[in-house]
Each structure stands twice: as C-alpha cells, then as structure tokens.
Amino acid sequence: MSNSKLLNHLSGVQKLLEVGIIISAFVAIFITLSLFTFSPVDPSWSQQQWVAEIQNSGGRVGAWIADILFYGFGFLAYLIPVIIVSFAWAILWKPSFTFDVDFLNLSLRIVGFIFTFFSLSALIALNVSDYLYYPSGGLVGDILAQSMLGFFSLVAVNLILLTFLISGTTLLFGFSWIRLIDGLGEYTLNFISWLINLPNLLGEMKEKRAEGEDQRLLEKQQVLQDKLEKKQQKQAEKENKRLAKLAEAEPEIENDETEKAIDFSQSYEQDNQADDAFLSTNFIDQPEEQLPELNIDNIEWQAEPEAEKVEKEEEPVVAKKQAKTDFSHLPEHARPAERFVPETDIAPLPSIDLLDRPDKKENPVSQQELDNAARLVESKLLEFKIKADVVNVLPGPVITRFELDLAPGMKVSTVSSLEKDLARALSAMSVRVVDQIPGKSVIALELPNRHREIVYISEVLDCTKFHENKSALTMVLGADISGSPVVVDLAKMPHLLVAGTTGSGKSVGVNCMLVSLLYKSSPEDLRMILIDPKMLELNVYEGIPHLLTEVVTDMKDAANALRWCVGEMERRYKLLAEIGVRNLAGYNAVVKKAKAAGEPIYDPLWKPGDSMAESAPELEKLPTIVVVVDEFADMMMIVGKKCEELITRIAQKARAAGIHLILATQRPSVDVITGLIKANIPTRIAFQVSSKIDSRTILGQQGAETLLGHGDMLYMPPGSGMPTRVHGAFVDDHEVHKVVADWKKRGQPNYIQEILAGDADLDMLLPGEQPEGEDEIDALFDEVVAFITETRKVSISSIQRKFRIGYNRSARLVDQLQAQGVISAPSGANSNRDVLAPPPVKD
C-alpha cells in the first residue's frame, strides 16, 4: 500500500473512532436522563400497566432501560454512563491511529474492572438498604452476596470483597499503594522538619525585611538628591545661556553680567551645600514612613525678565524662516513635489551599525554540567531498554546535541519512536532524534536549552563567510546548532520554498533574507518583485531602488507580475541564445568585456518601430530578479490554476535567465504545494508545523513538528536528503526601517508600469495560448455545419470525435453554431439541441 493510500486509510479509521466517541457520549447522556427521571409507574420490563403519560424523559425506551439497569445493578446503575464514556475515551480516542496493542496491560485492566464492579455490587448489597423495590446492589450483587454468605460469615465476606475491590482498582487504574505510602511519609517528614525550622525561618525573614527597608530608604534619598542636582544644573545652564546672549546684544554691560554670573555661581554652590546639609540632617536617621514628600517638579525657579523677552523675540523669526520650507503640517497629497537629490557622500551599501548589536551576558555552560546532562540522557535511555553511550556533546544557542553510539543490534527506529516519552522523561518541551548524520556512525538527540539565546542578524551579517561570498544573492539564515553562521546562495538553490505555522518565525525569516540581500547587492545587480497578500509584512520595503514595481497586494496584479516574469524570462533566453552564452553571468561578462574593448554589442532583438531610435540600443548589464511571495496559499486560493502554471514555468526554466523565487506559506498542504511545484523547487525551509503530515509535505520526512518555534527551522539544501537545523536570525521592525531609509537616500525606484498593467482578456489565458477575436469564425465551421445538417444531431462529444479536436474548441464551435442560427438553444432535461438548418441538397 502506498503512503498516500495508507494516510487516507488512517484518516478514515480516525473518523470512525471519532464517530464512536460521539455515539458513546449520546448513549451516556440518554441513560443518565432515563435513570434520573425514572418512575415506578411507567410501563417497563418489570411493570406492565397502562398509563396516560410516561414520565421518563427517555420515553418508553428510557423507562425500560432504567428499569433493567436498576434491577440488575442497583445503585451502581448511576455509574453506567460514566463507565461508557470512560471506556469510549480510553479505547476510541487515538490522536494517531496505530495497530500496536499491549494485550497484557489490556487483559489486566479488564480483570481489574470485573473485580471492582462485582465486588462493589456485592458490598452495596450487603451493607445498604434496598432502593425503591430494587435490590441496592442489583441482581448481580445480591446473588454474589447470598452465595458467599452460605460459606463465610458476614465479616469474612466483607473482608474478602474489600480485598477484591482494592486489587481490582489497582489493576484497573495502575495505582501503586506503596508509592502512596512513601509519598505520605515523605510529606510528613518534610512537614515536621519545616515545623522544627520555623523559628529560624521567621528570624531570617525579619532580618531580610529590615535590610530591605534600609536599602529602600537609601535609594529614595539618592533619587531625591539626584533630582535636585539635575534641576539646579539645568537652571544654571539656562542662566549662563541667557547671560551669553545678553553679552552679545549689549557689550557695554558685560562687566555687570559677569558679576551676576559670579554671584549666581557662588549662590549656586551655597544652595548645594545647604541642600546637602538639609538632606543629611533631615533624611538620614528618619524611617521611610516619616520622610517628607519633596516634589522637585513643583519648585519654582525665578528667571530674569530679560531672558523671557529675548526668547519671545527670537521665536517669530525662527517660525518665519521655517514657514517657507516646512510642509509637514500638510497632508501627503497636498505637499508640493520635491525633486529627489541622492546623497553623494554615502557608502555604496548600508552600514552594519544600523542593526542592533547583541547585549549578551556571557553564561557559558561548564564541562561538568555537560557531563551530568550526558549521564542523565544515558540513564533515561536505559529506562526504556536502550543502551547507548554519549560520545559527544555540542552546546548551542538554542539546543544541545548529544551524539549517541548505540549498542550492537539496537535499531534507530526504536529510539525515534520514543521521542515523546524521552521528552517527558527529560522534562523537555520536545526532543528531536536525528537518525542519520552524514559522515558519522552515530545518531543524535537534540534537547532545548533552559535559557534560549537570540541570534541577532548583525552577528551573522558581520561574519567572514558572508563578506567573502562574491555572489550577489548571498543570504543569511541564522546560526546552526553550534552557533556558527549559516550563509546560503540563492543562485545555487535556485528557488526556495518556506513553510511554517503562524508564529513560527516565517515572516521574520523572510525579512532576514531580504535584509541580507540589501546588504549584499546594489540595484544594478539585483531587482525585486514583492507580493504581499497580507498587506503588512512587505509594505515596509516600498520605495527602495531595488523594486521593479510597487509592493503587490492585489492578487490579480500578482498574476500579471508573474506573467511579466515569464515574458521577461523568454526574452532573456532569446537574448542569451543570440549572444551565444548559457546563463546570465556569462551574458554580463560578455557585455562588460565588449564595453571595455570599445566595441559595445547592440540589441539583436531590436526591430524598427520598437522605439523612436533610428538604430538598435546598446546592450546593458541585466540584473538578477528575485520574486518574493509572502503568503503563497492565499495567492493560490484567489488566482488558482493559472498562478500554479506560471510559477511552475518560472521554476522550471528561469534559473539561467537570472529569475529566482522565494515562496512562503503557512499552510503546507498538498493542494497548495503541489507535486509539480515541489519537483521544481528542491530547496526547502520548514519552520515549526502542526503535524507530521505537514512536515512530510514540505520536507518529505518528519521532524518539523518537534521544532521549538520562534525561528527554529530545518533547512534542506539542494541535492541533499538530510535537513540541517538552523536557528533563524532575528531582525526587528525598526532595524528594517533603518535599512530601508538608508537605501532611499541613494535613489528612487524605477518602476516598470507594464508589470502590473496586464490586459484583462489575457488574465484568463494560460501561457502559450493566444486570444481569439469574438467575431472570428473557426476554420472548421463550414465542415461542422455540413456534418450536423447531414446527421441531424449535434453534441460537443460527437464534434470532438469526428474532427479530433479538444473540448474547448468543440464547445466554442457549438456556441458559434447557435449564434449563427444553425442549431437551437439547449432545452429539456438532457439539454438537447435541434438542428435548425435544412439538410444539404444532393446533386
């Protein structure tokens, strides 16, 4: 059975199990209502009489069921609904269906249930009065109790039944009485020791409280003193500025103002000394509750009238100068257009200083802690009968990898099937088992760290590997499990598929890729088309010079953009063929070499009439084009099949033409990521997904469902079947804004209007199809008319078979026949058409 058929089978079994749970819940509710509304006068199994109205909420069936249950089980009848629901939940609730059954454990639980139920029925029958006219323990409990009383006394029967009851509950629930006794003893000893140490604890609490009150008192004094000093310093600076302005305006009073400044500085020092004395005498020895409230903000400082006058005189002058150039108070559409002038003294690429630097506190893990963790992993594996030795420990910023050497004969699948059990045993959020490490004969166990570190994008962008890579499409993803930067080349991928649930870090990962491209490439080397159905994630890049068009938010425009990419791809291929090169890099090298030699190459595809120029233009360097789609599933939902075929064509052929795709989606299902798209995009990145099925859809194997989220990813490079775990770099929104603003200083984008200005009629055509005129008659029209007038029958299928054409063309022929009055409109239940034209005249 293939994988797809097996998955369909399992999903069908899962549905049947869920239906079983629903039916069991309904039966339990019905029995509960019947038991609680039971009336002895209702007709039932033990009462055959006619009543005008049945009082039981379950009707006649409910009265019968309640009567039989009370007669058979007595008071235990009220537990029957609970038992039904519990058994349905235990047997039918299977989050992932499996055929593995522990028959020994199941048999013990069945035996325990029989012991518990029957012994409890007999105990109730012996010790509780009858219920209505039914036995309190039911017919079952009454028969057991009376049978045992014939051989044992009442006390012995109760002891025997209690033994069966305790043994049955132990087998049924897996309850350990020894653990209960040990736990109670441990809690008792701990409580006694706590009572003994209670006086010491109370004394320590009082000492800590007294130390805390002293510390708060000193902090409050320091805060008050700092506020007072800052206020006085500001006032002194303000007074000095005023004196300087007055000195410039009136030189003749310089000596007077200098004397005032000297007097002011002397008074300022005296005030400081007075304030210090005030604080030392009034606050040091007083408790916190008696401190007076000193509001620094309400202290009034007297300013000279001349200073206020100078400030008032200068304000209108400044406002008058700004009124000619400041249009910030106007709305954006009302502001006058300004000619953009790029800054000349600016670096060709943004500076790394625009990004946040990590403020890390060094907290390295000691070798002793790693050794203890390794021994813990070995002991927990031994509890599951897995003998393995930890041969290497690799601590990283987010996870720690333990490389395990399994004992001879131990299967890797045994360890992989215990991921959830190992996570529980090791008290971890999740555990990922790496069953194959290239170049090594060991497996790995990846455990999350207790304190997770953030991988900042500035760390990865500032590495040597990124700077030394000469490709214009160099991107950073983050750091691997050991903390080393992961730098990839989009040109070698050549397309990328990204998937992950909401909140897994997918959008941050896409932003990290775009920012790294902006730090590596200029607009001469790279141009981009950004498609953002959510209208929030990629709009921040609006206005950078790398864009070929505005950020696309309408999915109809997205289809036009993809169709333009297909046309550009075909144009570039024709150009490459004329030049005689195999890829875009070879084309740019030839063009550069020809220009350097003083013999530029002219466009071989130019024809008279293509432009107003008299001769063909010179060939220029062609940039690489990167198309980024932030939510691929939404575009597939709106645009549909034609979008899939456009993307497939680009993915199949566009590598040599220098066009690359980055597709991101939060729903990695087979209807979004089709087999045709997956076959042409070998490079994948999987963030955290919700199920193993989604992980297999994006990676072809499980593992993405055990990721930690927040940028934790599995990167599958091209030509490799084993994914690499990467901790995605974090780039904040304000960092993206800084980089975008820095690029806007260098120039404005040169948008190509033809990208989004697609023909409405062309939107419904797939690539390669040509539109037909509405009034154009098919070439086979006359032959079809002769055929149907002779046979006097018309249908789309008959025209297909006769003339060997497709369904679409045959349907258009039928519509043309109806428009010309040769046949009638469809009528009747079968939509039959009548031939209105007369039969052909035979010679």
Side-chain angles (χ1 to χ4, degrees):
M1 183 183 293
S2 63
N3 292 334
S4 60
K5 292 183 178 179
L6 180 60
L7 291 176
N8 293 332
H9 172 69
L10 294 182
S11 61
V13 172
Q14 180 65 30
K15 293 176 183 177
L16 290 176
L17 295 179
E18 293 183 4
V19 171
I21 293 176
I22 295 172
I23 294 175
S24 301
F26 168 75
V27 171
I29 294 172
F30 182 80
I31 293 175
T32 303
L33 292 175
S34 302
L35 292 174
F36 280 97
T37 59
F38 172 74
S39 177
V41 300
D42 289 339
S44 58
W45 178 68
S46 60
Q47 289 288 337
Q48 295 295 332
Q49 59 181 354
W50 181 89
V51 293
E53 184 178 357
I54 297 177
Q55 300 181 12
N56 197 296
S57 298
R60 187 177 297 275
V61 176
W64 273 71
I65 291 175
D67 181 75
I68 292 172
L69 292 179
F70 280 134
Y71 189 81
F73 305 105
F75 282 112
L76 290 184
Y78 290 108
L79 295 179
I80 297 296
V82 179
I83 294 172
I84 292 173
V85 173
S86 300
F87 270 82
W89 185 265
I91 296 173
L92 301 178
W93 173 245
K94 303 287 184 184
S96 56
F97 183 77
T98 177
F99 292 100
D100 297 334
V101 180
D102 189 356
F103 291 101
L104 177 61
N105 191 20
L106 180 62
S107 303
L108 291 177
R109 290 184 183 275
I110 293 174
V111 172
F113 172 74
I114 294 173
F115 279 11
T116 302
F117 193 83
F118 283 84
S119 59
L120 189 60
S121 300
L123 282 172
I124 293 175
L126 284 175
N127 301 287
V128 181
S129 301
D130 292 343
Y131 177 68
L132 298 178
Y133 52 84
Y134 299 108
S136 58
L139 184 63
V140 176
D142 196 40
I143 292 174
L144 287 175
Q146 296 302 324
S147 300
M148 295 180 70
L149 285 174
F151 299 96
F152 304 99
S153 65
L154 180 62
V155 176
V157 170
N158 279 301
L159 289 175
I160 293 171
L161 292 176
L162 282 173
T163 302
F164 282 131
L165 178 62
I166 295 173
S167 302
T169 54
T170 303
L171 294 175
L172 178 60
F173 300 107
F175 186 74
S176 177
W177 296 95
I178 296 177
R179 288 185 179 180
L180 177 62
I181 295 172
D182 290 342
L184 290 176
E186 182 180 358
Y187 286 129
T188 303
L189 293 176
N190 292 336
F191 181 71
I192 292 173
S193 63
W194 180 78
L195 288 178
I196 294 173
N197 295 329
L198 184 61
N200 296 331
L201 294 176
L202 292 176
E204 292 178 359
M205 291 176 61
K206 289 181 180 179
E207 291 178 0
K208 290 182 179 179
R209 186 179 300 174
E211 292 176 359
E213 290 178 354
D214 295 341
Q215 184 66 26
R216 287 196 298 272
L217 179 62
L218 293 175
E219 290 177 356
K220 188 171 182 180
Q221 295 171 359
Q222 185 64 33
V223 168
L224 291 173
Q225 188 171 0
D226 291 343
K227 286 185 177 180
L228 185 60
E229 291 178 357
K230 289 181 180 179
K231 196 72 175 180
Q232 293 174 347
Q233 185 177 1
K234 289 181 180 179
Q235 185 62 25
E237 292 176 355
K238 186 176 180 182
E239 182 67 18
N240 291 333
K241 289 181 180 179
R242 184 187 68 82
L243 293 176
K245 291 179 182 179
L246 291 177
E248 293 177 359
E250 300 178 1
E252 62 274 7
I253 59 172
E254 180 178 359
N255 296 330
D256 297 339
E257 294 295 343
T258 305
E259 293 176 0
K260 289 182 181 180
I262 295 174
D263 296 340
F264 179 81
S265 60
Q266 293 175 356
S267 62
Y268 175 67
E269 292 177 358
Q270 294 174 2
D271 290 341
N272 281 339
Q273 295 175 0
D275 291 334
D276 294 337
F278 174 73
L279 287 171
S280 60
T281 56
N282 291 279
F283 291 104
I284 297 298
D285 298 328
Q286 294 185 14
E288 183 180 359
E289 292 80 1
Q290 299 178 0
L291 287 175
E293 295 184 359
L294 181 61
N295 192 354
I296 303 299
D297 297 330
N298 292 333
I299 297 178
E300 295 183 357
W301 301 87
Q302 306 222 346
E304 295 292 332
E306 291 81 3
E308 297 180 358
K309 185 176 181 181
V310 170
E311 291 177 0
K312 290 180 180 179
E313 290 178 355
E314 290 182 352
E315 285 178 359
V317 177
V318 175
K320 186 175 181 180
K321 291 181 180 179
Q322 293 179 351
K324 296 181 180 180
T325 58
D326 187 9
F327 301 99
S328 59
H329 62 284
L330 297 177
E332 186 174 357
H333 65 273
R335 298 174 190 174
E338 297 181 1
R339 185 175 179 272
F340 178 80
V341 180
E343 298 183 10
T344 56
D345 55 343
I346 192 169
L349 294 175
S351 171
I352 200 71
D353 297 332
L354 296 174
L355 304 176
D356 294 342
R357 290 289 186 174
D359 185 15
K360 286 188 176 182
K361 297 180 179 179
E362 294 295 335
N363 188 17
V365 182
S366 64
Q367 187 63 36
Q368 181 66 30
E369 293 176 349
L370 295 178
D371 293 339
N372 295 337
R375 303 290 82 79
L376 176 64
V377 170
E378 291 178 350
S379 63
K380 294 301 180 181
L381 288 172
L382 201 58
E383 292 180 2
F384 295 100
K385 300 180 180 179
I386 298 174
K387 189 175 187 331
D389 296 328
V390 178
V391 296
N392 193 13
V393 182
L394 300 174
V398 178
I399 64 168
T400 300
R401 171 178 278 190
F402 298 87
E403 294 185 352
L404 306 175
D405 186 12
L406 296 179
M410 184 64 65
K411 294 183 178 179
V412 179
S413 58
T414 306
V415 185
S416 300
S417 61
L418 295 174
E419 285 183 347
K420 293 184 179 179
D421 296 324
L422 291 174
R424 175 189 56 80
L426 295 170
S427 301
M429 292 176 55
S430 64
V431 171
R432 180 172 176 262
V433 177
V434 183
D435 53 7
Q436 183 180 358
I437 301 177
K440 295 184 179 180
S441 61
V442 297
I443 67 171
L445 205 67
E446 295 178 350
L447 298 178
N449 297 337
R450 295 187 180 275
H451 304 287
R452 177 171 181 168
E453 298 179 9
I454 299 177
V455 180
Y456 289 87
I457 189 174
S458 58
E459 297 178 89
V460 192
L461 288 177
D462 207 13
C463 68
T464 306
K465 191 175 180 181
F466 179 77
H467 291 299
E468 292 181 353
N469 199 319
K470 297 181 180 179
S471 174
L473 297 181
T474 305
M475 300 188 307
V476 298
L477 297 182
D480 58 9
I481 58 173
S482 60
S484 301
V486 177
V487 181
V488 298
D489 186 5
L490 182 61
K492 296 179 180 179
M493 292 184 181
H495 310 290
L496 179 60
L497 189 59
V498 183
T501 58
T502 302
S504 61
K506 173 174 55 62
S507 297
V508 176
V510 173
N511 278 326
C512 181
M513 298 176 197
L514 292 175
V515 170
S516 59
L517 289 176
L518 294 179
Y519 266 92
K520 194 67 176 179
S521 306
S522 62
E524 291 80 14
D525 300 323
L526 171 67
R527 302 300 294 274
M528 293 189 292
I529 296 177
L530 305 181
I531 301 176
D532 185 14
K534 292 188 290 189
M535 298 180 287
L536 296 174
E537 301 294 342
L538 303 181
N539 270 343
V540 64
Y541 298 98
E542 187 70 62
I544 61 175
H546 295 76
L547 294 184
L548 282 170
T549 182
E550 298 93 345
V551 177
V552 181
T553 56
D554 190 352
M555 291 305 98
K556 293 182 180 179
D557 293 339
N560 293 333
L562 293 175
R563 183 173 288 104
W564 179 88
C565 289
V566 173
E568 177 66 13
M569 175 187 69
E570 299 292 346
R571 187 188 73 85
R572 290 191 175 193
Y573 267 115
K574 293 178 183 178
L575 197 57
L576 296 180
E578 292 289 340
I579 300 299
V581 293
R582 299 184 59 184
N583 52 36
L584 188 65
Y587 166 85
N588 289 332
V590 170
V591 172
K592 182 179 180 182
K593 184 177 180 181
K595 280 194 173 184
E599 298 177 356
I601 303 175
Y602 294 94
D603 189 357
L605 303 180
W606 182 85
K607 297 178 183 179
D610 290 346
S611 63
M612 299 299 293
E614 296 180 356
S615 60
E618 296 180 5
L619 290 180
E620 299 290 342
K621 178 182 178 181
L622 288 178
T624 305
I625 298 176
V626 176
V627 182
V628 182
V629 184
D630 183 59
E631 186 45 63
F632 178 51
D634 187 71
M635 186 173 67
M636 287 285 289
M637 186 182 302
I638 297 175
V639 185
K641 186 71 177 178
K642 60 180 179 180
C643 174
E644 177 187 352
E645 298 202 8
L646 290 168
I647 289 175
T648 304
R649 286 198 63 186
I650 295 173
Q652 286 173 340
K653 298 175 54 179
R655 175 178 186 175
I659 300 177
H660 305 275
L661 292 173
I662 298 178
L663 305 178
T665 179
Q666 63 184 2
R667 194 184 67 178
S669 55
V670 293
D671 58 337
V672 176
I673 306 175
T674 61
L676 199 58
I677 293 176
K678 287 178 63 177
N680 292 286
I681 305 181
T683 308
R684 323 282 175 63
I685 289 179
F687 290 87
Q688 185 184 38
V689 295
S690 57
S691 66
K692 295 180 180 179
I693 298 176
D694 292 342
S695 178
R696 292 191 187 100
T697 302
I698 182 65
L699 291 177
Q701 56 184 283
Q702 64 185 32
E705 73 280 356
T706 60
L707 297 177
L708 304 177
H710 301 286
D712 197 12
M713 72 177 83
L714 290 176
Y715 165 63
M716 181 175 287
S720 173
M722 294 301 299
T724 303
R725 189 163 187 178
V726 180
H727 310 304
F730 175 73
V731 54
D732 206 346
D733 291 341
H734 72 274
E735 296 177 86
V736 180
H737 283 286
K738 288 181 181 179
V739 176
V740 170
D742 191 71
W743 266 114
K744 287 181 180 179
K745 296 177 183 178
R746 295 175 174 84
Q748 288 181 325
N750 185 16
Y751 291 150
I752 301 176
Q753 302 299 329
E754 291 80 5
I755 294 179
L756 302 184
D759 192 354
D761 295 333
L762 292 177
D763 288 345
M764 301 306 295
L765 294 176
L766 296 177
E769 290 186 350
Q770 296 294 332
E772 297 182 0
E774 298 180 357
D775 300 332
E776 185 178 352
I777 300 299
D778 196 280
L780 296 176
F781 183 80
D782 294 335
E783 297 180 24
V784 173
V785 171
F787 169 68
I788 65 173
T789 53
E790 184 177 353
T791 59
R792 310 305 296 174
K793 293 180 181 179
V794 59
S795 66
I796 296 175
S797 58
S798 63
I799 296 175
Q800 280 184 270
R801 291 193 300 270
K802 175 66 176 176
F803 298 96
R804 297 180 181 180
I805 60 177
Y807 178 86
N808 292 336
R809 188 176 181 186
S810 179
R812 287 196 297 269
L813 278 167
V814 172
D815 293 338
Q816 291 175 5
L817 291 172
Q818 179 182 343
Q820 297 295 330
V822 180
I823 60 176
S824 65
S827 61
N830 296 326
S831 300
N832 295 326
R833 298 174 182 264
D834 298 330
V835 181
L836 304 179
V841 179
K842 296 183 180 180
D843 296 337

